[in-house]
Coordinates of all heavy atoms in Angstrom, one line a residue:
W1 N -5.2 7.5 10.0 CA -4.3 7.6 8.9 C -3.6 6.3 8.6 O -3.4 5.9 7.5 CB -3.2 8.7 9.1 CG -3.7 10.1 8.8 CD1 -4.0 11.1 9.7 CD2 -4.1 10.6 7.5 NE1 -4.5 12.2 9.0 CE2 -4.6 11.9 7.7 CE3 -4.1 10.0 6.2 CZ2 -5.0 12.7 6.6 CZ3 -4.5 10.8 5.1 CH2 -5.0 12.1 5.3
A2 N -3.3 5.5 9.6 CA -2.8 4.2 9.4 C -3.8 3.3 8.7 O -3.4 2.6 7.8 CB -2.4 3.5 10.8
L3 N -5.1 3.5 9.0 CA -6.1 2.7 8.3 C -6.2 3.1 6.8 O -6.2 2.2 5.9 CB -7.5 2.9 8.9 CG -8.7 2.2 8.3 CD1 -8.5 0.7 8.3 CD2 -10.0 2.6 9.0
V4 N -6.1 4.4 6.5 CA -6.2 4.9 5.1 C -5.0 4.3 4.4 O -5.1 3.8 3.3 CB -6.2 6.4 5.1 CG1 -5.9 6.9 3.7 CG2 -7.5 7.0 5.6
W5 N -3.8 4.4 4.9 CA -2.6 4.0 4.2 C -2.5 2.5 4.1 O -1.9 1.9 3.2 CB -1.3 4.6 4.8 CG -1.2 6.0 4.4 CD1 -1.4 7.2 5.1 CD2 -0.8 6.5 3.1 NE1 -1.2 8.3 4.4 CE2 -0.9 7.9 3.1 CE3 -0.5 5.8 1.9 CZ2 -0.6 8.7 2.0 CZ3 -0.2 6.6 0.8 CH2 -0.3 8.0 0.8
L6 N -3.1 1.8 5.1 CA -3.1 0.3 5.0 C -4.0 -0.1 3.8 O -3.6 -1.0 3.0 CB -3.7 -0.3 6.3 CG -3.9 -1.8 6.2 CD1 -2.6 -2.6 6.1 CD2 -4.7 -2.3 7.4
I7 N -5.1 0.6 3.6 CA -6.0 0.2 2.5 C -5.3 0.6 1.2 O -5.3 -0.3 0.2 CB -7.3 1.0 2.6 CG1 -8.2 0.5 3.8 CG2 -8.1 1.0 1.3 CD1 -9.3 1.4 4.2
V8 N -4.6 1.7 1.1 CA -3.9 2.1 -0.1 C -2.8 1.0 -0.4 O -2.6 0.5 -1.5 CB -3.3 3.5 0.0 CG1 -2.3 3.8 -1.1 CG2 -4.4 4.5 0.0
G9 N -2.0 0.7 0.6 CA -0.9 -0.3 0.5 C -1.4 -1.6 0.0 O -0.8 -2.3 -0.8
V10 N -2.5 -2.1 0.6 CA -3.0 -3.4 0.3 C -3.6 -3.4 -1.1 O -3.3 -4.4 -1.9 CB -4.1 -3.9 1.3 CG1 -4.8 -5.1 0.8 CG2 -3.4 -4.2 2.7
L11 N -4.3 -2.4 -1.5 CA -4.8 -2.3 -2.8 C -3.7 -2.3 -3.9 O -3.8 -2.9 -5.0 CB -5.8 -1.1 -3.0 CG -7.1 -1.2 -2.3 CD1 -7.9 0.1 -2.4 CD2 -7.9 -2.3 -2.8
L12 N -2.7 -1.5 -3.6 CA -1.5 -1.5 -4.5 C -0.8 -2.9 -4.6 O -0.4 -3.3 -5.6 CB -0.5 -0.4 -4.1 CG -1.0 1.0 -4.4 CD1 0.0 2.0 -3.8 CD2 -1.0 1.2 -5.9
T13 N -0.7 -3.5 -3.4 CA 0.0 -4.8 -3.4 C -0.7 -5.9 -4.2 O -0.1 -6.8 -4.7 CB 0.2 -5.2 -1.9 OG1 0.9 -4.2 -1.2 CG2 1.0 -6.5 -1.8
I14 N -2.0 -5.8 -4.3 CA -2.8 -6.8 -5.0 C -2.4 -6.8 -6.5 O -2.4 -7.9 -7.1 CB -4.3 -6.4 -4.9 CG1 -4.8 -6.7 -3.5 CG2 -5.1 -7.3 -5.8 CD1 -6.2 -6.3 -3.2
T15 N -2.1 -5.7 -7.0 CA -1.6 -5.7 -8.4 C -0.1 -5.9 -8.5 O 0.6 -5.5 -7.6 CB -1.9 -4.3 -9.1 OG1 -1.1 -3.3 -8.5 CG2 -3.4 -3.9 -9.0
L16 N 0.3 -6.6 -9.6 CA 1.7 -6.9 -9.7 C 2.6 -5.6 -9.8 O 3.6 -5.5 -9.1 CB 1.9 -7.8 -11.0 CG 3.3 -8.3 -11.2 CD1 3.7 -9.2 -10.0 CD2 3.4 -9.2 -12.4
I17 N 2.2 -4.7 -10.6 CA 3.0 -3.5 -10.7 C 2.9 -2.6 -9.4 O 3.9 -2.1 -9.0 CB 2.5 -2.6 -11.9 CG1 2.8 -3.4 -13.2 CG2 3.2 -1.3 -12.0 CD1 2.2 -2.8 -14.4
G18 N 1.7 -2.6 -8.8 CA 1.6 -1.8 -7.6 C 2.3 -2.4 -6.4 O 2.5 -1.7 -5.5
A19 N 2.6 -3.7 -6.5 CA 3.3 -4.3 -5.3 C 4.6 -3.7 -5.1 O 5.1 -3.6 -4.0 CB 3.5 -5.8 -5.6
V20 N 5.2 -3.1 -6.2 CA 6.5 -2.5 -6.0 C 6.4 -1.2 -5.2 O 7.3 -0.8 -4.4 CB 7.1 -2.1 -7.4 CG1 8.4 -1.3 -7.3 CG2 7.3 -3.3 -8.3
I21 N 5.2 -0.6 -5.2 CA 5.0 0.6 -4.4 C 4.3 0.2 -3.1 O 4.6 0.7 -2.0 CB 4.1 1.6 -5.2 CG1 4.8 2.0 -6.4 CG2 3.7 2.8 -4.3 CD1 4.0 2.8 -7.4
G22 N 3.3 -0.8 -3.2 CA 2.5 -1.1 -2.0 C 3.3 -1.7 -0.9 O 3.1 -1.4 0.3
V23 N 4.2 -2.6 -1.2 CA 5.0 -3.3 -0.1 C 5.8 -2.3 0.7 O 5.8 -2.3 1.9 CB 5.8 -4.4 -0.7 CG1 6.8 -5.0 0.4 CG2 4.9 -5.6 -1.2
P24 N 6.6 -1.4 0.0 CA 7.3 -0.3 0.8 C 6.4 0.6 1.6 O 6.7 1.0 2.7 CB 8.0 0.5 -0.3 CG 8.2 -0.5 -1.5 CD 7.0 -1.3 -1.4
I25 N 5.2 0.9 1.0 CA 4.2 1.7 1.8 C 3.9 1.0 3.1 O 3.9 1.6 4.2 CB 3.0 2.0 1.0 CG1 3.3 3.0 -0.1 CG2 1.8 2.4 1.9 CD1 2.1 3.3 -1.0
L26 N 3.6 -0.3 3.0 CA 3.2 -1.1 4.2 C 4.4 -1.2 5.2 O 4.2 -1.1 6.4 CB 2.8 -2.5 3.8 CG 1.4 -2.5 3.0 CD1 1.1 -3.9 2.5 CD2 0.3 -1.9 3.8
L27 N 5.6 -1.4 4.7 CA 6.8 -1.4 5.6 C 7.0 -0.1 6.3 O 7.2 0.0 7.5 CB 8.1 -1.8 4.8 CG 8.1 -3.2 4.2 CD1 9.3 -3.4 3.3 CD2 8.1 -4.2 5.4
L28 N 6.9 1.0 5.5 CA 7.1 2.3 6.1 C 5.9 2.6 7.1 O 6.1 3.3 8.1 CB 7.1 3.4 5.0 CG 8.4 3.4 4.2 CD1 8.3 4.4 3.0 CD2 9.6 3.8 5.1

């Protein structure tokens, strides 16, 4: 599950708008 959410978080962080969601996902 950590691997799945890491991929989701990194993919979101790549986009400017998704970074707002991706960075908190990675922190959590």
Side-chain angles (χ1 to χ4, degrees):
W1 278 110
L3 180 61
V4 167
W5 283 105
L6 175 66
I7 292 168
V8 169
V10 168
L11 290 175
L12 286 171
T13 304
I14 291 172
T15 67
L16 187 57
I17 295 172
V20 174
I21 299 169
V23 171
I25 285 174
L26 295 173
L27 292 171
L28 289 171

